[in-house]
Amino acid sequence: MPESIKTLIIHAHLFTMQGDGVGYIPDGAVAVKDGRIVDVGATSELDARYQASETINASGCALLPGLVDAHMHTYWAIARGVAQDVGNWMQAALSPYARHATPEAKLAGTKLNVVEALKAGTTMMMDYVPLYDGWAEFYEKAGVRARLTPMINALPKTGMAGLKLGALYPYDDDAAQMKIEASQAFIQAWHGAADGRITAMWGPQGPDMLSEDHLIQIKKLAEREGLMIHMHVAQGDREMNQMLKRYGARTPEYLANLGYLDEQLLAVHLTEATDEEAAMMAKSGARMILCSGSIGIIDGIVPPMRAFREAGGLVALGSDQASGNNVNNIFNEMKLTALFNKIMARDPEVMPAWEVLRMATIEGARAIGLGDKIGSLEKGKQADLILVDLTAPNLTPVLVDPVRNIVPNLVYAASGHEVKTVMVAGKILMRDREVLTLDEAAVQAEAQEQAEMLSRRVAEDSSLHGQMALMAAMEEGRL
Amino acid sequence: MPESIKTLIIHAHLFTMQGDGVGYIPDGAVAVKDGRIVDVGATSELDARYQASETINASGCALLPGLVDAHMHTYWAIARGVAQDVGNWMQAALSPYARHATPEAKLAGTKLNVVEALKAGTTMMMDYVPLYDGWAEFYEKAGVRARLTPMINALPKTGMAGLKLGALYPYDDDAAQMKIEASQAFIQAWHGAADGRITAMWGPQGPDMLSEDHLIQIKKLAEREGLMIHMHVAQGDREMNQMLKRYGARTPEYLANLGYLDEQLLAVHLTEATDEEAAMMAKSGARMILCSGSIGIIDGIVPPMRAFREAGGLVALGSDQASGNNVNNIFNEMKLTALFNKIMARDPEVMPAWEVLRMATIEGARAIGLGDKIGSLEKGKQADLILVDLTAPNLTPVLVDPVRNIVPNLVYAASGHEVKTVMVAGKILMRDREVLTLDEAAVQAEAQEQAEMLSRRVAEDSSLHGQMALMAAMEEGRL
C-alpha cells in the first residue's frame, strides 16, 4: 500500500548535492510531506512507493536544492543602477540616495528584491538592513526562507554623507545602544518564526562602525543566544584606514584579539584581506561570504576566497545590493565567481562549475549554519527546491553521456530566468514562472513609484549639487 | 498630410547610440519604411508626421540598435557545455566531439545558436564555420543580418585530434586549395544576398593553420573583391609556438611583415598578444574582436582590448562558441567585458557601461565594416532594432533623473531574456518573445536529437578512451 504524501516530483535530472560532488540521479524523484523531504531516488522506485496529492512531472528539468543567497541589502533594489563605474561608490554615488530613502521606499525595495531573487531560484535569503516596519512580515508572507539581520551601527543619522574622507567617523553611542535593543526585540519576536522558516542573527555593520564596547556587548548576546554574527569584515580601504587609526591594527588581527573569530562569525567580503589573513580567519572556524558581482563592480577586486577555502573555510555566495551589482541572482554570482577566479589565476581549471554550485547550495548552507536543514536534497531536510527548464535554447542540448553537460550549463549558460518552479518548506511559491504568494505587478509598480519619489528628493536636494559622481556622465550623454 | 510608413515605434526610452555617448531620447520614436529608418525623434513629433501601418507602443521599454555579435562558431551549440574547466580545451575536450560532428549535427547547432542569439537581441551575426549544406540558406530564412565566413585551413581531415602537442601541424595544401575555391564560390553566391542582409568574408582559420602561400593568395582575393578577412590571431600559446617554430616570429610581427595588418583585417581574440603588439595592430587600422566569455572560460585570460582601444583601434564583441562559453549572448559579453577589465585593473571606473554598450552596437558595427548601415538608430540606416522590457523585476525601477540608470542596468542587470521584440531590416523577427520566422520548438528538438546522436558516437569511439579530459569528473560525480 503506497504511503500518502503531499507532493511527488518525478522524471527530473536530479542533483541532490549529497556527497562530495553534485549527487546526480538520472530520472530522479523527490517525495515531500509536511514541508520536508521524505524520500529521494529513482522515479520508478518512488512512484511505486508513494501516493501523492500532487505529482509534478519534471521531465526536461533539472531539480536542485533552492539556492542560498547569504548577503543581501534588499532595500537597495529601490536604487538599482544609480551608482556604477565610480571610484568612491558609497560616498559619491550611493549616499545621496541613502540620505533620502524613507522606510516606505526601503520596504518597496525589499519586496522587489525578494521577487527578483525568488524568480531566479533563491530560496534562502540572508537580508541585512537597518530595521523598518513590515520587513519581517513581508518575508513571512512571501514564503521564502530567511535569516534576517538588523544592521547595527553608531553612525550619525545622516549616514556616511558629509563625513570627511579619511577622518575617523564620530560615534553616536546612544543610537547604537538603541539599535542593539531593537535588534534584541526583533530577535525575540522573529527568531524561529513561521515554523522556523524565519531566523535571525546579530548584525554589527562593521568593526569600524561601532565602538569596541558595543562589539563586545553584541558578541556576548550572540553567544548567550546561540546566534551567529553577520558582519562586514575588511570591506574596503576605508574600513582598514579607520581600524589602523583607531586601534593600530588591521581588521583580522583586531577581531582575533577581540575574540570575534570563531564559528559564530559570518565575515562578509574580506575585500581588503590578504591571502594570509583570509587563511587565518578560515582556520579560526569563521565563515566567509563572497559577493563577486558587487565587489567586482564597486571595487574592481576579487576577494581572497580561494585562500580562505584552501585553509579549510566554508564559503557562501551573496548578491549584496542592486545599487552596486546590479542584480540579486545567485546564477550570476556562480558564473562570476568561477570566471573571476579563473582569470585572476590565469588558469581555466580554477573554480570549476561543480564547486561554485556547491557554494550556492550545500557549502553555502553549512557556512550560514543551516547545513542540517537545507542545501541538499535528502531525507529529513526541508523541501526547499527548484526546477530549472533545460529546454530553454541557451540550455539545449541536455547530454548525459559520455560527458554530462548540465552543471556547466547551469553555471555558465543559465541566467536564472530558466527557473520554472520554486518550493520552500514544501509549499510552491512559483509555478511556471508565476509567483503565487505575491502580486508581482503590484510589487513592481510600488517599487517604481517609490523609486521615482526617492529620485525626486535627491534631485531637489541642493546640498548635493556638485557632489554626485555621475553628473558628468549625465551631461555628456553617457547614461 | 502625414507620410505613410510601415512601422512607427513610440513612447520608448530611446538609445540612438548617435554621437559620442548613448544618444538618449526620452519618450522617443523611430519610423520605419522599406526596411530602413526614415526618422528618429520625440514621439510627439513623429506621431504627427507619420501614418503607420503598424504602431508599436514601446512604453516601459528601452529601444536600442540590434546587437552585433562579431564572432560565432554557431555549429558548436550542438556541444554546449561538454568542454569546460579543463586545461587543454581544444585537444582534450572539444576534439572528441569535433571528430564526430556530421554536417547535419552542425546545421542543427547553427539553427539552435541563431534562435538563442536572436532571442537575446543579437541582430547581426558573424558566423565562422567550415562550410556545410544549408548554412547560408538558414540565415536567409531566419531573417537575421549575417556576415558569413567559411573557414579555411590546411589541417588534416581528422582535425586537431591526434596531433602531437607542440609538433608542427602537417599541412594538406590540396585540401586548403579546395576550401579557398569553395569560399570563392560561396562568396559569389551569397555576398549581398537577401537584399544585402547577407554578406561574406574571407576566413583563414589562423596564421598557423595554412601555408604562407595560401595566406597571401587569400589576401589578394580579398583585396580584389573589397572584402574583409576574419581570422583568429594570436589565439593561444599553441598558435604562438607554431609561428615561432615555423617562421621565427610571433604572430603580430609575422602578419605585419606579410602585409596583413590593415583595415581589412578583423583580428579575433589576441589572447596571447602583448599590450604593445595590440597597440601596433590597432595603429595599422586592423580591427579587434573580443570574446571575453569564451577566452575567460577556455584560457583564463583577458585579452589586451584596452591597449588596442587606447591606441585608437575599433573593437567588436563576439560570443565564440557554446562548447566553451557556454552562451551566445551579447548581454553576457557586455557584462563580462566591463567586469573582467575592472578587476584586472583593480579599478571600478574602467570600462563603464556606456563604453561596452557602444562596443556592442555602433563601435562593433564600425569594426566589422558596417558602420554606415547598422549600429545606431538614425535616418537612412537599416531598421535593425530591439525592444527591451524594463519592467522585468531585475530591471526595475527605471529612473531618468538626476541619474539615469537604464544603461548600467542593461549592462550589469539584464540577461537578454528581457528582450521582447526584435526587428531586422524593418521586419519583425520576434514579437513578445515569440520567434516568428522559425519554429523554435522544432529547432530545439532537432538540436537535442542530433546532439544525442553525436554524444553516442563519441561514447562508442574506443580510440578516445583515456583521452577525454572530463572523464575523471564524471567518475567522481562532479558533473
Side-chain angles (χ1 to χ4, degrees):
Chain A
M1 178 80 183
E3 182 184 345
S4 287
I5 58 169
K6 186 178 177 201
T7 313
L8 183 64
I9 308 175
I10 57 173
H11 296 317
H13 291 281
L14 174 55
F15 294 89
T16 65
M17 307 311 291
Q18 290 188 37
D20 295 329
V22 296
Y24 177 70
I25 299 179
D27 197 3
V30 171
V32 175
K33 187 177 181 178
D34 298 332
R36 287 169 188 262
I37 294 167
V38 292
D39 208 347
V40 172
T43 294
S44 56
E45 292 170 19
L46 269 64
D47 219 5
R49 212 173 286 158
Y50 300 100
Q51 179 70 41
S53 304
E54 181 183 23
T55 299
I56 297 174
N57 187 335
S59 179
C61 291
L63 172 52
L64 305 163
L67 304 180
V68 175
D69 192 333
H71 187 66
M72 305 168 82
H73 303 290
T74 54
Y75 64 105
W76 277 122
I78 205 70
R80 188 193 308 278
V82 300
Q84 283 71 44
D85 305 322
V86 297
N88 182 13
W89 173 77
M90 190 179 281
Q91 283 174 271
L94 190 62
S95 281
Y97 289 84
R99 180 188 296 192
H100 292 288
T102 61
E104 293 75 22
K106 290 176 181 175
L107 184 59
T110 292
K111 293 179 183 179
L112 174 65
N113 215 168
V114 168
V115 167
E116 176 193 1
L118 168 60
K119 293 192 81 174
T122 304
T123 55
M124 172 70 224
M125 306 189 192
M126 302 240 308
D127 201 358
Y128 187 44
V129 303
L131 273 178
Y132 37 85
D133 282 349
W135 178 51
E137 288 82 356
F138 178 74
Y139 278 98
E140 186 171 30
K141 181 180 169 201
V144 298
R145 194 170 301 279
R147 301 206 95 171
L148 303 178
T149 311
M151 200 186 262
I152 300 165
N153 63 45
L155 297 178
K157 279 223 173 79
T158 48
M160 310 289 291
L163 296 184
K164 204 181 140 205
L165 211 59
L168 278 186
Y169 319 142
Y171 284 158
D172 181 341
D173 287 328
D174 291 341
Q177 190 59 40
M178 283 178 61
K179 289 173 192 172
I180 290 173
E181 285 160 19
S183 285
Q184 184 73 74
F186 179 88
I187 288 166
Q188 279 165 1
W190 287 101
H191 185 64
D195 294 326
R197 181 164 55 76
I198 296 176
T199 50
M201 290 183 172
W202 282 96
Q205 190 174 348
D208 58 327
M209 294 194 181
L210 64 177
S211 72
E212 187 167 278
D213 283 350
H214 279 142
L215 285 170
I216 293 169
Q217 184 185 348
I218 290 170
K219 175 71 177 160
K220 284 185 185 154
L221 285 166
E223 276 176 359
R224 196 182 68 196
E225 296 156 357
L227 296 178
M228 294 185 84
I229 295 173
H230 184 171
M231 180 165 76
H232 295 124
V233 173
Q235 75 166 322
D237 51 3
R238 195 196 57 239
E239 177 195 310
M240 281 295 188
N241 290 340
Q242 294 280 324
M243 298 305 288
L244 286 166
K245 274 192 183 150
R246 206 178 283 275
Y247 304 111
R250 289 170 57 84
T251 304
E253 182 193 347
Y254 173 78
L255 291 178
N257 293 339
L258 199 65
Y260 246 73
L261 297 191
D262 57 30
E263 296 186 354
Q264 234 181 341
L265 180 66
L266 274 162
V268 186
H269 295 326
L270 300 191
T271 315
E272 289 289 325
T274 63
D275 282 358
E276 293 69 27
E277 289 171 333
M280 180 273 284
M281 290 185 64
K283 284 175 190 153
S284 78
R287 287 80 194 275
M288 174 177 177
I289 301 176
L290 173 69
C291 301
S292 291
S294 75
I295 300 304
I297 292 183
I298 294 170
D299 297 304
I301 287 176
V302 180
M305 171 273 292
R306 291 182 65 214
F308 192 93
R309 286 178 93 232
E310 278 161 19
L314 291 170
V315 178
L317 303 177
S319 64
D320 217 351
Q321 78 296 92
S323 49
N325 190 4
N326 302 359
V327 68
N328 294 76
N329 177 322
I330 292 297
F331 284 93
N332 184 59
E333 297 305 320
M334 287 197 289
K335 183 196 284 196
L336 295 183
T337 297
L339 294 180
F340 285 3
N341 284 283
K342 286 180 199 303
I343 65 176
M344 292 307 285
R346 213 181 157 99
D347 181 351
E349 299 190 41
V350 161
M351 274 292 125
W354 52 82
E355 286 197 48
V356 292
L357 184 59
R358 286 182 64 83
M359 290 163 80
T361 54
I362 185 63
E363 181 175 336
R366 287 179 186 148
I368 65 169
L370 287 177
D372 58 334
K373 289 199 172 58
I374 60 168
S376 63
L377 300 178
E378 59 186 285
K379 191 175 168 176
K381 281 200 173 179
Q382 293 288 309
D384 292 8
L385 52 85
I386 62 174
L387 292 177
V388 183
D389 178 9
L390 300 176
T391 67
N394 56 313
L395 298 181
T396 295
V398 177
L399 299 172
V400 294
D401 178 53
V403 173
R404 201 175 299 126
N405 67 350
I406 304 172
V407 169
N409 287 337
L410 288 173
V411 170
Y412 300 122
S415 70
H417 287 74
E418 307 83 357
V419 175
K420 197 175 163 182
T421 294
V422 175
M423 175 186 284
V424 172
K427 183 177 173 187
I428 294 178
L429 306 185
M430 179 171 83
R431 188 192 297 270
D432 296 332
R433 301 291 297 153
E434 189 194 351
V435 179
L436 304 179
T437 48
L438 302 167
D439 180 344
E440 184 182 338
V443 165
Q444 194 273 340
E446 182 185 347
Q448 180 67 32
E449 187 187 351
Q450 286 291 338
E452 287 177 15
M453 287 161 59
L454 170 58
S455 281
R456 229 166 9 243
R457 291 192 292 274
V458 173
E460 287 165 1
D461 182 347
S462 58
S463 76
L464 293 170
H465 293 173
Q467 291 190 36
M468 289 178 66
L470 287 165
M471 291 301 102
M474 287 293 287
E475 282 161 24
E476 290 161 12
R478 293 171 180 270
L479 280 174
Chain B
M1 179 78 184
E3 184 184 342
S4 286
I5 58 169
K6 186 177 176 201
T7 312
L8 183 63
I9 308 174
I10 57 174
H11 296 317
H13 290 282
L14 175 56
F15 294 89
T16 65
M17 307 309 291
Q18 289 187 38
D20 296 329
V22 296
Y24 178 69
I25 298 179
D27 197 3
V30 170
V32 175
K33 186 177 181 178
D34 298 332
R36 287 169 188 261
I37 294 167
V38 293
D39 209 346
V40 172
T43 294
S44 57
E45 291 171 18
L46 269 65
D47 218 6
R49 210 173 286 158
Y50 301 100
Q51 178 70 42
S53 304
E54 181 182 22
T55 299
I56 297 174
N57 187 335
S59 179
C61 291
L63 171 52
L64 304 164
L67 304 180
V68 175
D69 191 333
H71 187 66
M72 306 167 82
H73 303 290
T74 54
Y75 64 106
W76 277 123
I78 205 69
R80 187 191 312 276
V82 300
Q84 283 70 44
D85 305 321
V86 297
N88 182 13
W89 173 78
M90 189 179 281
Q91 282 173 271
L94 190 62
S95 282
Y97 289 84
R99 181 189 293 192
H100 291 289
T102 61
E104 293 75 21
K106 291 176 179 175
L107 184 59
T110 293
K111 292 178 183 179
L112 175 64
N113 216 169
V114 168
V115 167
E116 177 193 2
L118 168 60
K119 293 192 82 175
T122 303
T123 55
M124 171 70 224
M125 306 189 191
M126 303 241 308
D127 200 359
Y128 188 43
V129 302
L131 272 177
Y132 37 85
D133 283 348
W135 179 51
E137 288 82 356
F138 178 73
Y139 278 98
E140 187 171 28
K141 181 179 169 203
V144 298
R145 194 169 302 279
R147 302 207 94 170
L148 303 178
T149 310
M151 199 186 263
I152 300 165
N153 63 44
L155 297 178
K157 279 223 173 77
T158 48
M160 309 290 291
L163 295 184
K164 202 178 139 206
L165 210 59
L168 278 186
Y169 319 144
Y171 284 158
D172 182 339
D173 286 328
D174 291 342
Q177 190 59 39
M178 284 178 60
K179 289 172 192 171
I180 290 174
E181 286 160 20
S183 285
Q184 183 73 75
F186 179 87
I187 288 166
Q188 280 166 1
W190 287 100
H191 185 63
D195 295 326
R197 182 165 54 76
I198 296 176
T199 50
M201 290 183 171
W202 282 96
Q205 189 173 348
D208 58 327
M209 294 195 181
L210 65 176
S211 72
E212 185 166 279
D213 285 349
H214 278 142
L215 284 170
I216 293 169
Q217 184 187 346
I218 290 170
K219 176 71 177 158
K220 284 185 183 153
L221 285 165
E223 276 177 359
R224 195 181 70 195
E225 294 157 358
L227 296 178
M228 294 185 85
I229 295 173
H230 184 171
M231 182 164 76
H232 295 124
V233 173
Q235 74 166 320
D237 51 2
R238 195 196 58 238
E239 177 196 309
M240 281 294 188
N241 290 341
Q242 293 280 323
M243 298 305 288
L244 286 166
K245 272 192 184 151
R246 206 178 285 276
Y247 304 112
R250 288 169 59 85
T251 304
E253 182 193 350
Y254 173 79
L255 291 178
N257 293 339
L258 200 67
Y260 246 72
L261 296 191
D262 57 29
E263 294 187 353
Q264 235 179 342
L265 181 66
L266 274 163
V268 186
H269 295 325
L270 301 191
T271 314
E272 289 288 325
T274 63
D275 282 358
E276 294 69 28
E277 289 171 332
M280 180 273 283
M281 290 185 65
K283 285 176 188 152
S284 78
R287 285 81 194 275
M288 174 176 177
I289 302 175
L290 172 70
C291 301
S292 291
S294 75
I295 301 303
I297 292 183
I298 295 170
D299 298 303
I301 287 176
V302 180
M305 170 274 291
R306 292 182 64 213
F308 193 92
R309 287 179 91 230
E310 278 161 18
L314 291 170
V315 177
L317 303 178
S319 64
D320 217 349
Q321 78 294 92
S323 49
N325 189 4
N326 302 352
V327 69
N328 295 74
N329 178 321
I330 293 298
F331 283 93
N332 183 59
E333 297 304 321
M334 287 196 289
K335 182 195 285 195
L336 296 183
T337 297
L339 293 181
F340 285 4
N341 284 282
K342 286 181 201 304
I343 64 175
M344 292 306 284
R346 213 180 157 99
D347 181 351
E349 299 192 40
V350 160
M351 275 292 126
W354 52 83
E355 286 198 50
V356 292
L357 184 59
R358 287 182 64 84
M359 290 163 79
T361 54
I362 185 62
E363 182 175 335
R366 286 178 185 147
I368 64 169
L370 287 178
D372 58 334
K373 289 198 173 59
I374 60 168
S376 62
L377 300 177
E378 59 186 287
K379 191 176 168 176
K381 281 200 173 178
Q382 293 287 310
D384 292 9
L385 52 84
I386 61 175
L387 292 178
V388 183
D389 179 9
L390 301 176
T391 67
N394 56 312
L395 299 181
T396 295
V398 177
L399 299 173
V400 294
D401 179 51
V403 173
R404 200 176 299 126
N405 67 350
I406 305 172
V407 169
N409 286 338
L410 288 172
V411 169
Y412 299 122
S415 71
H417 287 73
E418 307 83 356
V419 175
K420 196 175 164 183
T421 294
V422 175
M423 175 185 285
V424 172
K427 183 176 173 185
I428 294 178
L429 306 185
M430 180 171 84
R431 188 193 297 270
D432 295 334
R433 300 289 300 154
E434 188 195 350
V435 179
L436 304 179
T437 48
L438 301 167
D439 180 343
E440 184 182 336
V443 165
Q444 195 272 341
E446 182 185 346
Q448 180 66 33
E449 186 187 351
Q450 286 290 338
E452 286 177 15
M453 286 162 59
L454 169 58
S455 281
R456 225 160 19 238
R457 291 192 294 274
V458 173
E460 287 165 1
D461 183 347
S462 59
S463 77
L464 294 170
H465 293 172
Q467 291 190 35
M468 289 178 67
L470 288 166
M471 290 302 101
M474 288 292 287
E475 281 160 26
E476 291 161 11
R478 294 173 180 269
L479 281 175

Coordinates of all heavy atoms in Angstrom, one line a residue, chain B residues 340-379:
Chain B
F340 N 35.5 42.0 -16.2 CA 36.8 41.5 -16.3 C 37.9 42.6 -16.3 O 38.9 42.5 -15.7 CB 37.0 40.6 -17.6 CG 36.3 39.3 -17.5 CD1 35.6 38.9 -16.5 CD2 36.5 38.4 -18.6 CE1 34.9 37.6 -16.4 CE2 35.9 37.2 -18.6 CZ 35.1 36.8 -17.5
N341 N 37.6 43.6 -17.1 CA 38.6 44.7 -17.2 C 38.7 45.5 -15.9 O 39.8 46.0 -15.6 CB 38.3 45.5 -18.4 CG 38.8 44.7 -19.7 OD1 40.0 44.7 -20.0 ND2 37.8 44.1 -20.4
K342 N 37.6 45.7 -15.2 CA 37.7 46.3 -13.9 C 38.6 45.6 -13.0 O 39.5 46.1 -12.3 CB 36.3 46.4 -13.3 CG 35.4 47.5 -13.9 CD 34.0 47.5 -13.2 CE 32.9 48.1 -14.0 NZ 33.1 49.5 -14.5
I343 N 38.4 44.3 -12.9 CA 39.1 43.5 -11.8 C 40.6 43.3 -12.2 O 41.5 43.3 -11.4 CB 38.5 42.2 -11.4 CG1 38.4 41.2 -12.6 CG2 37.1 42.4 -10.8 CD1 37.9 39.8 -12.2
M344 N 40.9 43.2 -13.6 CA 42.3 43.1 -14.0 C 43.0 44.5 -13.6 O 44.2 44.4 -13.3 CB 42.4 42.8 -15.4 CG 41.9 41.4 -15.8 SD 42.7 40.1 -14.8 CE 44.3 40.0 -15.6
A345 N 42.3 45.6 -13.8 CA 42.9 46.9 -13.5 C 42.7 47.3 -12.0 O 43.3 48.3 -11.6 CB 42.2 47.9 -14.4
R346 N 42.0 46.5 -11.3 CA 41.6 46.8 -9.9 C 41.1 48.3 -9.8 O 41.5 49.0 -8.9 CB 42.9 46.7 -9.0 CG 42.5 46.2 -7.6 CD 43.8 46.0 -6.7 NE 43.5 46.1 -5.3 CZ 43.3 45.1 -4.5 NH1 43.5 43.9 -4.9 NH2 43.0 45.3 -3.2
D347 N 40.2 48.6 -10.7 CA 39.7 49.9 -10.8 C 38.2 49.9 -11.3 O 38.0 49.6 -12.5 CB 40.6 50.7 -11.8 CG 40.1 52.2 -12.0 OD1 39.1 52.5 -11.4 OD2 40.9 52.9 -12.6
P348 N 37.3 50.3 -10.5 CA 35.9 50.2 -10.9 C 35.5 51.2 -12.0 O 34.4 51.1 -12.6 CB 35.1 50.5 -9.6 CG 36.1 51.3 -8.7 CD 37.4 50.8 -9.1
E349 N 36.3 52.2 -12.3 CA 36.0 53.2 -13.3 C 36.3 52.7 -14.7 O 35.9 53.3 -15.7 CB 36.7 54.5 -13.0 CG 36.2 55.1 -11.7 CD 36.7 56.5 -11.4 OE1 36.6 57.3 -12.4 OE2 37.1 56.9 -10.3
V350 N 37.1 51.6 -14.8 CA 37.5 51.1 -16.1 C 36.3 50.5 -16.8 O 35.4 49.8 -16.1 CB 38.6 50.0 -15.9 CG1 38.7 49.1 -17.0 CG2 39.9 50.7 -15.6
M351 N 36.2 50.6 -18.1 CA 35.1 50.0 -18.9 C 33.7 50.2 -18.3 O 33.0 49.3 -17.9 CB 35.4 48.5 -19.0 CG 36.3 48.2 -20.1 SD 35.6 48.6 -21.7 CE 36.8 49.6 -22.4
P352 N 33.3 51.5 -18.3 CA 31.9 51.8 -17.8 C 30.9 51.2 -18.8 O 31.2 50.9 -19.9 CB 31.9 53.3 -17.8 CG 33.0 53.7 -18.7 CD 34.0 52.7 -18.6
A353 N 29.7 51.1 -18.3 CA 28.6 50.5 -19.0 C 28.4 51.1 -20.4 O 28.3 50.4 -21.4 CB 27.3 50.7 -18.2
W354 N 28.5 52.4 -20.5 CA 28.2 53.0 -21.8 C 29.3 52.6 -22.9 O 29.0 52.5 -24.1 CB 28.1 54.5 -21.8 CG 29.3 55.2 -21.1 CD1 30.5 55.6 -21.6 CD2 29.3 55.7 -19.7 NE1 31.3 56.2 -20.6 CE2 30.6 56.3 -19.5 CE3 28.4 55.6 -18.6 CZ2 30.9 56.9 -18.2 CZ3 28.8 56.2 -17.4 CH2 30.0 56.8 -17.2
E355 N 30.5 52.4 -22.5 CA 31.5 52.0 -23.4 C 31.3 50.6 -24.0 O 31.4 50.4 -25.2 CB 32.9 52.1 -22.8 CG 33.4 53.5 -22.6 CD 34.9 53.6 -22.4 OE1 35.7 52.9 -23.2 OE2 35.4 54.2 -21.5
V356 N 30.9 49.7 -23.1 CA 30.7 48.3 -23.6 C 29.4 48.3 -24.5 O 29.3 47.5 -25.4 CB 30.7 47.2 -22.5 CG1 32.0 47.1 -22.0 CG2 29.6 47.5 -21.5
L357 N 28.4 49.2 -24.1 CA 27.2 49.2 -24.9 C 27.6 49.7 -26.3 O 27.0 49.3 -27.3 CB 26.1 50.1 -24.3 CG 24.8 50.1 -25.0 CD1 24.2 48.7 -25.2 CD2 23.8 51.1 -24.3
R358 N 28.5 50.7 -26.4 CA 28.9 51.1 -27.7 C 29.7 50.0 -28.5 O 29.5 49.9 -29.7 CB 29.8 52.4 -27.6 CG 29.0 53.6 -27.2 CD 29.8 54.9 -27.1 NE 30.4 55.3 -28.4 CZ 29.8 56.0 -29.3 NH1 28.6 56.4 -29.1 NH2 30.5 56.3 -30.4
M359 N 30.5 49.3 -27.8 CA 31.2 48.1 -28.5 C 30.2 47.1 -29.0 O 30.4 46.5 -30.0 CB 32.1 47.5 -27.5 CG 33.3 48.4 -27.1 SD 34.2 47.8 -25.6 CE 35.1 46.4 -26.3
A360 N 29.1 47.0 -28.4 CA 28.0 46.0 -28.8 C 27.2 46.6 -29.9 O 26.4 45.8 -30.5 CB 27.2 45.6 -27.6
T361 N 27.3 47.9 -30.2 CA 26.4 48.5 -31.2 C 27.2 49.3 -32.2 O 27.8 48.7 -33.1 CB 25.3 49.4 -30.5 OG1 26.0 50.4 -29.6 CG2 24.4 48.6 -29.6
I362 N 27.4 50.6 -32.0 CA 28.0 51.4 -33.1 C 29.5 51.1 -33.3 O 29.9 51.0 -34.4 CB 27.7 52.9 -32.9 CG1 28.2 53.7 -34.0 CG2 28.2 53.4 -31.5 CD1 27.5 53.4 -35.3
E363 N 30.2 50.9 -32.2 CA 31.7 50.7 -32.4 C 31.8 49.3 -33.0 O 32.7 49.1 -33.9 CB 32.4 50.7 -31.1 CG 33.9 50.5 -31.2 CD 34.7 50.7 -30.0 OE1 34.3 51.4 -29.1 OE2 35.8 50.1 -29.9
G364 N 31.1 48.3 -32.6 CA 31.1 47.0 -33.2 C 30.8 47.0 -34.7 O 31.4 46.4 -35.5
A365 N 29.7 47.8 -35.0 CA 29.3 47.9 -36.4 C 30.5 48.5 -37.3 O 30.8 48.0 -38.4 CB 28.1 48.7 -36.5
R366 N 31.1 49.5 -36.7 CA 32.2 50.1 -37.5 C 33.4 49.1 -37.6 O 34.0 49.1 -38.6 CB 32.7 51.4 -36.7 CG 31.7 52.6 -36.9 CD 32.2 53.8 -36.1 NE 31.2 54.8 -36.1 CZ 31.0 55.7 -35.2 NH1 31.7 55.7 -34.1 NH2 30.0 56.6 -35.3
A367 N 33.6 48.4 -36.5 CA 34.8 47.5 -36.5 C 34.6 46.4 -37.6 O 35.6 46.1 -38.3 CB 34.9 46.8 -35.2
I368 N 33.4 46.0 -37.9 CA 33.2 44.9 -38.9 C 32.9 45.5 -40.3 O 32.5 44.8 -41.2 CB 32.1 44.0 -38.5 CG1 30.7 44.6 -38.4 CG2 32.4 43.3 -37.1 CD1 29.5 43.7 -38.2
G369 N 33.0 46.9 -40.4 CA 32.9 47.5 -41.7 C 31.4 47.8 -42.1 O 31.1 48.0 -43.3
L370 N 30.5 47.8 -41.1 CA 29.1 48.1 -41.4 C 28.6 49.4 -40.7 O 27.4 49.5 -40.4 CB 28.2 46.9 -41.1 CG 28.3 45.7 -42.0 CD1 27.5 44.6 -41.5 CD2 27.9 46.1 -43.5
G371 N 29.5 50.2 -40.3 CA 29.2 51.4 -39.5 C 28.2 52.3 -40.3 O 27.5 53.1 -39.7
D372 N 28.2 52.3 -41.6 CA 27.3 53.1 -42.4 C 25.9 52.5 -42.5 O 25.0 53.2 -42.9 CB 27.9 53.4 -43.8 CG 28.1 52.1 -44.5 OD1 28.3 51.0 -43.9 OD2 28.1 52.1 -45.8
K373 N 25.7 51.3 -42.1 CA 24.4 50.6 -42.3 C 23.7 50.3 -41.0 O 22.5 50.3 -41.0 CB 24.6 49.3 -43.1 CG 25.0 49.5 -44.6 CD 24.7 48.2 -45.3 CE 25.0 48.4 -46.8 NZ 26.3 48.9 -47.1
I374 N 24.4 49.9 -40.0 CA 23.8 49.5 -38.7 C 24.6 50.1 -37.5 O 25.5 50.8 -37.7 CB 23.8 47.9 -38.6 CG1 25.2 47.4 -38.7 CG2 22.9 47.3 -39.7 CD1 25.3 45.9 -38.3
G375 N 24.2 49.7 -36.4 CA 24.9 50.0 -35.1 C 24.4 51.3 -34.4 O 24.7 51.5 -33.2
S376 N 23.6 52.1 -35.1 CA 22.9 53.2 -34.4 C 21.5 53.4 -35.1 O 21.3 52.8 -36.1 CB 23.7 54.5 -34.6 OG 23.8 54.8 -35.9
L377 N 20.7 54.1 -34.3 CA 19.4 54.3 -34.9 C 19.4 55.7 -35.5 O 19.3 56.7 -34.7 CB 18.3 54.2 -33.8 CG 18.3 52.8 -33.2 CD1 17.2 52.7 -32.0 CD2 18.0 51.7 -34.2
E378 N 19.5 55.8 -36.8 CA 19.5 57.1 -37.4 C 19.0 57.0 -38.8 O 19.0 55.9 -39.5 CB 20.9 57.8 -37.4 CG 22.0 57.1 -38.0 CD 23.3 57.9 -37.7 OE1 23.6 58.9 -38.3 OE2 24.1 57.3 -36.9
K379 N 18.5 58.1 -39.3 CA 17.8 58.2 -40.6 C 18.7 57.6 -41.7 O 19.9 58.0 -41.8 CB 17.5 59.6 -40.9 CG 16.6 59.8 -42.1 CD 16.2 61.3 -42.3 CE 15.6 61.4 -43.7 NZ 15.1 62.8 -44.0

